[in-house]
Amino acid sequence: MKRAVLLTAVLLCSAVTHAGRANAASAFDQPTTDYMLQFAKPAVKVFVYERYDAKGELYQRDVTAVTSPIEVPSATERIINGVTYRLRGLTACPQQKITYKTEEWDCTKAARDYEGAIYNNRASVVLCKTLVLQSKQGESDAVSCFSLVGAGDANDPYIVAYDDDEMVFFNMAEIGRNKDGKSLRPDLERSSDLGKRFQNEAN
């Protein structure tokens, strides 16, 4: 019961971050449901790709339909419309085996199960943000990704799922460090700490 409450609290906390900034586009801030809803279209899964400059201002936005199932090759890679993206500042699967759905799972298979269900079964809008102004051939853009999930009613309200945060919380990905040992994702350190506690309690 404790673990279920902890998990619910973390995901709800993630879903409502920056709730007052519905119309404010900014680099890597978690978008609100209202921000995501402006891109929603009936019976179409929409992919929004936003590029931000060094000042954190929106540089370019592309809005397209998702034309094929979104693939999850690893805990930190996403293939959307045939293009591979990688979650920024994260390393996939620090441990091969993790506790998932109260059982021991292979980390990569767990990530595919969890994020595959969100992207392909639940999401109506997928938004990824990057500071890469122009993609380089042979390199995957470093991104943060969010999904609008839910039906928008009392039984299934809209929430914004935060891919990076979920991967760190479930111990499916680890926060990287620079050469000085500083965190590449200080914004996710709290989720990392909570996730490690959840894994310890589950084992």
Side-chain angles (χ1 to χ4, degrees), residues 121-165:
N121 301 335
R122 297 275 291 148
S124 54
V125 177
V126 175
L127 165 65
C128 293
K129 301 182 178 187
T130 185
L131 289 173
V132 178
L133 298 186
Q134 186 172 356
S135 302
K136 295 181 180 179
Q137 187 172 4
E139 294 184 17
S140 301
D141 289 353
V143 300
S144 284
C145 292
F146 312 86
S147 298
L148 179 69
V149 301
D153 55 36
N155 294 323
D156 189 17
Y158 289 123
I159 64 169
V160 177
Y162 186 3
D163 194 343
D164 309 38
D165 188 271

Side-chain angles (χ1 to χ4, degrees), residues 26-106:
S26 56
F28 302 131
D29 273 0
Q30 182 170 338
T32 65
T33 55
D34 286 344
Y35 187 82
M36 299 287 277
L37 278 167
Q38 68 181 310
F39 306 111
K41 296 181 180 180
V44 177
K45 190 188 301 292
V46 176
F47 176 49
V48 183
Y49 195 52
E50 294 183 339
R51 297 180 188 270
Y52 289 81
D53 62 23
K55 296 179 180 179
E57 296 178 355
L58 183 63
Y59 173 80
Q60 180 181 347
R61 177 190 290 131
D62 295 318
V63 181
T64 58
V66 177
T67 56
S68 59
I70 293 175
E71 299 176 52
V72 183
S74 74
T76 56
E77 293 175 294
R78 307 291 177 259
I79 301 177
I80 305 174
N81 289 345
V83 179
T84 301
Y85 304 91
R86 58 182 174 83
L87 300 184
R88 66 185 184 96
L90 301 181
T91 301
C93 292
Q95 297 176 333
Q96 185 176 359
K97 299 293 182 181
I98 62 170
T99 299
Y100 174 66
K101 293 184 176 180
T102 71
E103 299 176 348
E104 185 177 79
W105 278 61
D106 174 82

Side-chain angles (χ1 to χ4, degrees), residues 10-11 13-15 17 30 87 90 115 144-146 161-171 173 185 187-192:
V10 169
L11 295 183
C13 178
S14 173
T17 303
Q30 182 170 338
L87 300 184
L90 301 181
E115 289 300 338
S144 284
C145 292
F146 312 86
Y162 186 3
D163 194 343
D164 309 38
D165 188 271
E166 292 157 356
M167 291 297 93
V168 169
F169 176 78
F170 283 116
N171 204 35
R185 294 298 304 270
D187 56 311
L188 299 180
E189 290 291 349
R190 181 171 179 272
S191 289
S192 177

